[in-house]
């Protein structure tokens, strides 16, 4: 592009931004997807990398998109994620910012500023996941449930969850004072945030609406989800790995006591575990104990108090079914087994559980571009929902990502040099981020909603974004 063409392009974009900004302050009908905002790249790096100053300074000067790179190193000890570029503390500018690298401290800075400026345009806090959170086996180890809870606990009612995003495109004015969080970075984590996959799912529902789902990975790991049934919908609370094996089944009583049975990974031994479901959705598990040989175990409570059990499995040698009766001892977290015998009864349907008129069923199946092993749940009122983390944060789609990540995505992103991707996404009504936007000639028509720069106070950026929404 020649210098004259660059100037004309910049002037044209600046004019459009000014018009959008003027309307945003005077006209409540301007859609969020049409607005342009001031944005910093690697916001936490302040003046260590670029010239951005502190997070508070950035917000005071109109920045409405904050990027925080986070790591899960040491989560089990710190009970928090750590800010940093290539490692915790890397390129972090603490001048005017929190003295620690803990994510919560940095989120609190944004929350405090937002609380003091309720008329400010919505702030997006992007969490760039520098590590794979899917290998964290539990909430305590810092999986995506823990990240969700931290986001909710910090921002509270100011948070606009992705699952609550209004249909169509809400106006900027309707979202003033709100905070939106966005997941970027590690693609495996972003994908699992939207869906989970597994094999041989089983489920149990009790009269209180508590739910436990178990499944195997198809490669020897056993995982659980816990949730809550309410008016035909299931809200999933906790997720974690609990053992090795395959073909699990689970029974849950009204006190929150549960008994899980499964087959060993590479043999035909049968094992059980006792668990206790807490109010927060976490399960406290006992150790695993062998009780028989066989395959395809199923289990159910047989009395109202939830102390007597019946287990039915198939022989490892033929199609004969066998049974056990069990008595649960919650004090020792064990089951006393008796009455082992052949039975003509069918094994329990471990995929379906009902209490009164409420019922849940688990199965696997593709949902658009997702794999055939995507975990799904039906209830007595709704069908086909994915078993997944509550969609607290939005999930970013980047150039080169899978069709799964593109499905339903509101936020798109690419390097600022990817002009074709940026303009196409903008024209299709997406919110688009272009990072490393550090030259005026990178401006596109239309301009990215979020042109993320390392130099937000340079004259060329100030002129280009002079009319940005604040």
């Amino acid at each position: 592009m020649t210098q004259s063409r660059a100037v004309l392009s910049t002037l044209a974009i600046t004019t459009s931004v000014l018009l959008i900004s003027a309307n945003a302050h005077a006209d409540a009908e301007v859609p969020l997807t049409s607005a342009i905002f001031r944005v910093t790249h690697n916001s936490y790096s302040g003046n260590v990398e670029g010239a951005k100053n502190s997070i508070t300074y950035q917000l005071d000067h109109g920045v409405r998109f904050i990027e925080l790179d986070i790591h899960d190193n040491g989560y089990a000890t710190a009970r928090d994620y750590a800010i940093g570029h290539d490692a915790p503390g890397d390129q972090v500018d603490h001048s005017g910012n929190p003295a620690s690298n803990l994510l919560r401290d940095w989120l609190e800075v944004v929350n405090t500023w937002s609380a003091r400026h309720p008329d400010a345009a919505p702030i997006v806090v992007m969490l760039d996941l520098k590590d794979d959170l899917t290998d964290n086996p539990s909430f305590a180890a810092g999986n995506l449930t823990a990240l969700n809870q931290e986001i909710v606990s910090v921002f509270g009612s100011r948070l606009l969850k992705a699952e609550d995003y209004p249909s169509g495109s809400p106006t900027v004015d309707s979202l003033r004072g709100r905070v939106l969080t966005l997941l970027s970075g590690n693609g495996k984590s972003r994908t699992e945030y939207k869906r989970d996959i597994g094999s041989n799912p089983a489920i149990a529902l009790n009269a209180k609406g508590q739910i436990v789902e178990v499944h195997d990975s198809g490669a020897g790991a056993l995982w659980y989800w816990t949730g809550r049934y309410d008016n035909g919908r299931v809200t999933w609370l906790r997720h974690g790995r609990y053992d090795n094996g395959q073909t699990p089944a689970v029974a849950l009583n009204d006190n929150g006591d549960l008994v899980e049975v499964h087959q060993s990974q590479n043999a035909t031994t049968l094992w059980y575990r006792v668990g206790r479901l807490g109010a927060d959705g976490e399960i406290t598990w006992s150790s695993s104990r062998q009780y028989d040989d066989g395959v395809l175990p199923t289990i159910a409570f047989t009395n109202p108090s939830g102390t007597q059990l019946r287990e039915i499995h198939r022989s490892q040698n033929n199609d004969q079914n066998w049974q056990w009766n069990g008595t649960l001892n919650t004090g020792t977290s064990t089951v006393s087994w008796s009455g082992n015998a052949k039975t003509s009864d069918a094994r329990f349907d471990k995929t379906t559980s009902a209490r009164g008129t409420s019922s849940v069923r688990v199965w696997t199946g593709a949902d658009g571009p997702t794999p055939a092993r995507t975990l799904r749940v039906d209830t007595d009122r709704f069908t086909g929902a994915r078993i997944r983390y509550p969609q607290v944060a939005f999930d970013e789609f980047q150039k080169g990502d899978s069709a799964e990540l593109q499905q339903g995505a509101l936020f798109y992103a690419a390097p600022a040099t990817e002009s074709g991707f940026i303009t196409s996404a903008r024209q299709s009504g997406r919110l688009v981020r272009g990072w490393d936007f550090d030259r005026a000639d990178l401006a596109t028509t239309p301009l990215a909603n979020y042109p993320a720069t390392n130099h937000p106070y340079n004259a060329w950026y100030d002129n280009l974004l002079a009319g940005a929404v604040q």
Side-chain angles (χ1 to χ4, degrees), residues 290-332:
Q290 184 180 350
Y291 67 95
D292 202 355
D293 293 301
V295 297
L296 304 175
T298 61
I299 193 164
F301 281 104
T302 58
N303 66 331
S305 63
T307 57
Q308 301 302 308
L309 296 146
R310 189 183 186 202
E311 186 274 347
I312 306 177
H313 63 271
R314 197 180 75 188
S315 168
Q316 69 272 29
N317 299 315
N318 51 51
D319 291 336
Q320 176 65 54
N321 283 345
W322 289 77
Q323 71 169 13
W324 282 96
N325 296 318
T327 300
L328 173 63
N329 185 326
T330 57
T332 60

Side-chain angles (χ1 to χ4, degrees), residues 1-16 440-441 443-445 464:
M1 181 183 290
T2 65
Q3 184 175 3
S4 59
R5 288 176 61 199
V7 170
L8 288 173
S9 176
T10 300
L11 288 174
I13 296 298
T14 303
T15 300
S16 68
D441 63 1
T444 54
T445 305
L464 187 63

